[in-house]
Amino acid sequence: MVETSFWQNKKVFITGHTGFKGTWLSLMLTHLGAEVTGYSLDPLTKPSMYDAVDLFGVTDSVIGDIRDEKNLTAALENSGAEVVFHLAAQSLVRESYVNPVETYSTNVMGTVHLLEAVRKVHNVKAAIMVTSDKCYAANESLIPHIETDAMGGHDPYSSSKGAMELVCASYANSFFCEKGSANIATARAGNVIGGGDWSKDRLVPDILASYADKQKVSIRNPNAVRPWQFVLDPLYGYLELAEYMYGQELTGFGEGWNFGPDSSNVCAVKDIVSIFKELSDNEIDFSVNTDPQPYENPLLNLNSCKAKERLAWKPSLKIEDALAWTYNWHIAFEEKERDMRSYTLQQIEDYINLAEST
């Protein structure tokens, strides 16, 4: 369970705070009383979650590139942060085929620059480096990945996340293994969904965009199986992990942690479409795109027993509820009848109450 008192006035540094997950995490932390400094590029989409909830008025926002080590280090030092969450990334598989150099330079060298900054700024006690379920070498089966499985990845995005994991482990063992140094860990989530995601080439944003435009949804891989989860499920786990790491002398150098959904949330793309059809009273229709597509791992699943046993973390929303919360957020946004920061904070409060009661 997340301890609200731990986060009261805690100084936190978040990279990628203008992104989808970064905005949710920033708003969640400020709701808990933390003082958040964000470091990121400008939002990559219009509209964006960052703009929708007016996060600029909530956090100390520094616009910068994580590949700029000097600027990044200065921002971290000025923040006075004791806890770091690293979410800045090029996060799209299909984009990584188009821009592989940018993908590797951002995801791998950007991480190196942040780790170097953490080395130089000695007040950091815990740093959570967020990677992906796609960091694992593909096993082409539904056997859930455990944290000690081999890193890999077929496409540039996935392999960049595997490389990021290796970088974090190397730095943890080489530079963060003495008493008084920061605790470093990596966190791997599943396919995260929630309100405010307008990223291109992602299933749920594509469905909602097509619905808003009254267009048929084009589906690429209807039988692809993914571990779907509401955005607050893994974020809640990251907070629990940070609290655990903060209070430890050394947690084990560079440990990796899975924060995936329960097996009931591991389902095919076509199942997600079916649930959305029900939510929209059958107003969503789709077609299958038969054009040749870049390779994507057809099967992904995570074993999160480690987080459940050692942190007492568990996911709180079933897939039907996760999609309903996402759908309702976007309906509220489209209807422009609600203040979206207040609406999002209400979802955060509802989620925390649910997590604490189960």
Side-chain angles (χ1 to χ4, degrees):
M1 182 183 300
V2 168
E3 295 293 337
T4 303
S5 60
F6 174 88
W7 296 103
Q8 283 290 326
N9 302 314
K10 189 75 69 188
K11 293 183 178 180
V12 180
F13 189 81
I14 300 175
T15 70
H17 72 294
T18 63
F20 163 59
K21 285 176 71 177
T23 298
W24 274 97
L25 180 60
S26 298
L27 205 57
M28 190 178 193
L29 279 166
T30 56
H31 177 69
L32 293 171
E35 299 177 16
V36 175
T37 297
Y39 183 94
S40 181
L41 298 174
D42 285 318
L44 296 178
T45 64
K46 289 188 180 298
S48 71
M49 177 69 171
Y50 180 82
D51 292 328
V53 302
D54 191 22
L55 190 66
F56 183 80
V58 177
T59 63
D60 182 4
S61 183
V62 180
I63 300 301
D65 194 317
I66 59 170
R67 293 169 293 185
D68 183 344
E69 185 181 331
K70 182 179 179 180
N71 193 39
L72 176 62
T73 302
L76 177 58
E77 185 170 24
N78 291 337
S79 73
E82 293 183 286
V83 180
V84 173
F85 293 96
H86 177 41
L87 285 81
Q90 193 301 96
S91 58
L92 301 173
V93 171
R94 290 167 68 84
E95 178 66 19
S96 76
Y97 281 106
V98 178
N99 291 305
V101 173
E102 181 180 354
T103 299
Y104 286 112
S105 64
T106 299
N107 295 355
V108 182
M109 290 309 301
T111 299
V112 171
H113 293 153
L114 179 59
L115 289 167
E116 281 293 301
V118 172
R119 285 183 68 193
K120 296 170 183 175
V121 180
H122 300 295
N123 50 298
V124 176
K125 291 182 171 60
I128 311 296
M129 320 298 282
V130 177
T131 64
S132 170
D133 58 342
K134 298 175 181 65
C135 68
Y136 293 106
N139 59 17
E140 300 290 339
S141 76
L142 278 177
I143 298 174
H145 286 291
I146 60 173
E147 286 86 351
T148 54
D149 282 352
M151 296 294 103
H154 181 283
D155 56 89
Y157 167 74
S158 300
S159 66
S160 76
K161 287 298 187 177
M164 178 181 166
E165 289 277 354
L166 297 177
V167 164
C168 291
S170 175
Y171 262 77
N173 283 286
S174 301
F175 306 116
F176 298 103
C177 55
E178 297 180 356
K179 184 177 179 179
S181 64
N183 274 321
I184 308 295
T186 59
R188 308 150 189 174
N191 275 40
V192 172
I193 59 176
D197 188 3
W198 283 278
S199 302
K200 63 180 181 179
D201 294 327
R202 279 187 178 154
L203 176 64
V204 171
D206 286 351
I207 291 174
L208 292 169
S210 297
Y211 174 65
D213 295 337
K214 302 187 185 304
Q215 300 291 322
K216 185 177 290 189
V217 185
S218 178
I219 303 300
R220 296 187 300 273
N221 302 301
N223 296 312
V225 174
R226 294 289 183 267
W228 309 93
Q229 58 190 142
F230 190 67
V231 61
L232 292 176
D233 269 339
L235 296 186
Y236 196 85
Y238 301 167
L239 298 186
E240 290 183 305
L241 177 58
E243 291 178 23
Y244 168 77
M245 292 169 59
Y246 186 95
Q248 300 289 324
E249 286 290 345
L250 286 172
T251 62
F253 311 150
E255 283 190 284
W257 297 76
N258 288 342
F259 293 95
D262 289 333
S263 58
S264 60
N265 280 28
V266 179
C267 55
V269 165
K270 61 185 179 183
D271 299 323
I272 301 299
V273 175
S274 295
I275 295 171
F276 267 119
K277 284 176 67 69
E278 293 180 11
L279 289 170
S280 67
D281 293 327
N282 292 312
E283 291 187 23
I284 290 177
D285 197 8
F286 74 98
S287 62
V288 177
N289 186 342
T290 59
D291 295 337
Q293 303 292 333
Y295 176 86
E296 294 187 49
N297 190 353
L299 301 170
L300 281 173
N301 198 0
L302 293 175
N303 180 320
S304 301
C305 288
K306 178 179 174 179
K308 292 176 180 178
E309 293 170 0
R310 290 175 57 181
L311 303 177
W313 170 84
K314 56 184 175 182
S316 295
L317 285 183
K318 295 185 180 300
I319 185 60
E320 293 83 3
D321 296 323
L323 292 173
W325 283 35
T326 302
Y327 177 81
N328 291 336
W329 192 100
H330 278 270
I331 292 299
F333 177 83
E334 292 294 335
E335 292 178 349
K336 303 185 186 305
E337 295 179 356
R338 301 288 299 273
D339 172 70
M340 292 313 297
R341 185 195 293 176
S342 297
Y343 189 91
T344 305
L345 285 170
Q346 186 61 59
Q347 284 200 339
I348 289 171
E349 183 66 28
D350 291 345
Y351 178 87
I352 291 174
N353 291 336
L354 181 63
E356 291 179 350
S357 65
T358 56

